[in-house]
Amino acid sequence: MLNRARMLAASFSADTVLATPQGARTADSLKPGDYVITMDNGPRRLAWTGDVAPERCRGVAPVRVETGALCNETPLILAPEHHVIVRVAGEELLLPIRALVGQPGIDFAPGRHLRFRHLLFDRHEIVFAQGAAVESLLPSEPVMRAMSLRARSEIMDHLPGLTGKPEWSAARRRIRVGAWRRANLELRTPGARFDDILRVVA
């Protein structure tokens, strides 16, 4: 199950609308060479796009984000390991969307049979999916291992310098689900500060 979840890391449902210099585009309409608007670097060229094989989605429930829950303009469907921007004590962090399940407007959507698509730049970026700030694919070693042989081969063809390079830097500090939950529990201690706790458990 974990490998399947990693295979879906930072993948968008095919009909997710992303901001581009040419206006709104669905994820399944984007291809290598197209430009997408990023939070930090303006329009950036996509290095690779790839569909997730349907059989690799079985048993992994996506997460539905209702309108406005993450400043999104319309309901948004994300893979459970897709990291989204959260703001804590003035810092922007990246957190898997599944860690926010149970918050108002955010829940699992089991039984949804969707097509998912990866979007990869030549660096980790934050993009706008239906208005929400979310990550592009970060090709970490565990994520690459979980990819199909075909997907790995295509990525290496488009980014040959990826082989043998140290792992990419994330666009923001990434917080694990367990650390996020521990921080929330510690907040029940009188006088606890969320930013101090995160420094300890991150």
Side-chain angles (χ1 to χ4, degrees):
M1 181 69 73
L2 182 58
N3 273 350
R4 286 187 178 178
R6 283 174 174 162
M7 175 64 193
L8 287 171
S11 58
F12 301 87
S13 61
D15 61 353
T16 298
V17 174
L18 291 107
T20 81
Q22 289 76 41
R25 297 272 305 274
T26 58
D28 64 352
S29 74
L30 294 167
K31 60 185 183 300
D34 288 342
Y35 282 80
V36 174
I37 294 173
T38 68
M39 178 180 282
D40 301 320
N41 299 297
R44 295 284 293 178
R45 188 178 65 85
L46 283 166
W48 175 78
T49 63
D51 294 323
V52 181
E55 62 271 16
R56 290 177 174 262
C57 302
R58 295 192 188 114
V60 180
V63 175
R64 180 181 173 90
V65 182
E66 299 295 347
T67 301
L70 287 177
C71 298
N72 46 311
E73 298 155 358
T74 55
L76 176 65
I77 299 289
L78 294 172
E81 290 298 318
H82 203 143
H83 285 59
V84 301
I85 289 280
V86 296
R87 293 172 178 84
V88 176
E91 182 181 357
E92 292 181 341
L93 305 169
L94 280 168
L95 183 71
I97 186 62
R98 67 185 177 90
L100 297 176
V101 166
Q103 297 297 315
I106 303 177
D107 205 351
F108 287 114
R112 295 291 299 269
H113 300 290
L114 301 168
R115 290 187 300 117
F116 283 92
R117 190 168 181 82
H118 292 302
L119 302 179
L120 178 67
F121 299 89
D122 61 4
R123 60 182 291 170
H124 194 220
E125 298 283 5
I126 306 298
V127 299
F128 298 99
Q130 291 166 209
V134 306
E135 68 170 344
S136 65
L137 182 64
L138 179 63
S140 65
E141 184 179 347
V143 167
M144 291 294 284
R145 281 203 309 267
M147 290 266 186
S148 67
L149 182 61
R150 176 179 177 179
R152 288 199 301 270
S153 177
E154 288 179 357
I155 290 171
M156 293 306 179
D157 285 345
H158 285 86
L159 289 171
L162 190 63
T163 307
K165 291 180 72 173
E167 289 199 1
W168 290 8
S169 297
R172 298 290 188 281
R173 185 157 66 105
R174 290 159 72 93
I175 301 295
R176 295 179 183 274
V177 174
W180 179 260
R181 290 174 177 163
R182 288 196 299 274
N184 277 282
L185 287 174
E186 290 292 337
L187 274 179
R188 299 176 186 176
T189 304
R193 287 166 46 88
F194 205 109
D195 50 336
D196 292 336
I197 294 165
L198 279 178
R199 291 190 185 97
V200 174
V201 301

